[in-house]
Amino acid sequence: ISYSHSQISPSMASKLLTEFKSMIQRTDERRLVPAPRLTERELEVLKLVATGMNNRDIAKELFISENTVKNHVRNILEKLQLHSRMEAVVYAMREKILEIR
């Protein structure tokens, strides 16, 4: 097996280093921004999502419509700038927004 090693020009290396530095700064800036405020209802929904409940079960548990649950989940994802229910649960646990026992 032959591996070819390609050289990076000094100007390209400089551009890469600048981009990495910029990425790190953006990540650090995001950490300084306080966690978005979720409403009490959104927190309730997020806790039930975290237990593995689907929208229908959450709706029954909270005595609200399934569409209302969907709206809450969409608002949670939007506020947290996430793409999935699982990401929201992981984020909430990491940021200690909720604790699963």
Side-chain angles (χ1 to χ4, degrees):
I1 298 175
S2 171
Y3 295 100
S4 64
H5 298 284
S6 56
Q7 300 276 322
I8 296 176
S9 70
S11 67
M12 181 55 81
S14 175
K15 287 177 186 174
L16 285 171
L17 289 172
T18 301
E19 183 59 30
F20 286 139
K21 183 178 176 187
S22 173
M23 288 170 57
I24 290 168
Q25 285 173 339
R26 285 193 302 268
T27 300
D28 288 344
E29 286 167 8
R30 260 186 263 143
R31 286 191 193 124
L32 297 176
V33 175
R37 294 281 303 162
L38 297 180
T39 66
E40 287 299 317
R41 184 58 106 185
E42 289 167 346
L43 286 170
E44 285 179 299
V45 170
L46 184 54
K47 287 176 184 176
L48 295 174
V49 166
T51 66
M53 292 177 93
N54 62 31
N55 289 349
R56 183 181 302 133
D57 293 335
I58 293 170
K60 287 179 187 173
E61 178 78 19
L62 299 178
F63 303 103
I64 57 179
S65 76
E66 204 170 330
N67 277 339
T68 301
V69 173
K70 288 177 187 175
N71 288 336
H72 285 309
V73 171
R74 187 179 61 241
N75 290 340
I76 291 165
L77 295 179
E78 199 172 288
K79 284 182 180 182
L80 300 180
Q81 297 180 355
L82 301 172
H83 304 345
S84 73
R85 295 162 73 101
M86 183 55 67
E87 283 181 324
V89 171
V90 170
Y91 173 90
M93 292 178 70
R94 187 180 68 229
E95 298 299 319
K96 298 190 176 24
I97 291 172
L98 61 90
E99 293 178 23
I100 308 297
R101 291 186 184 98

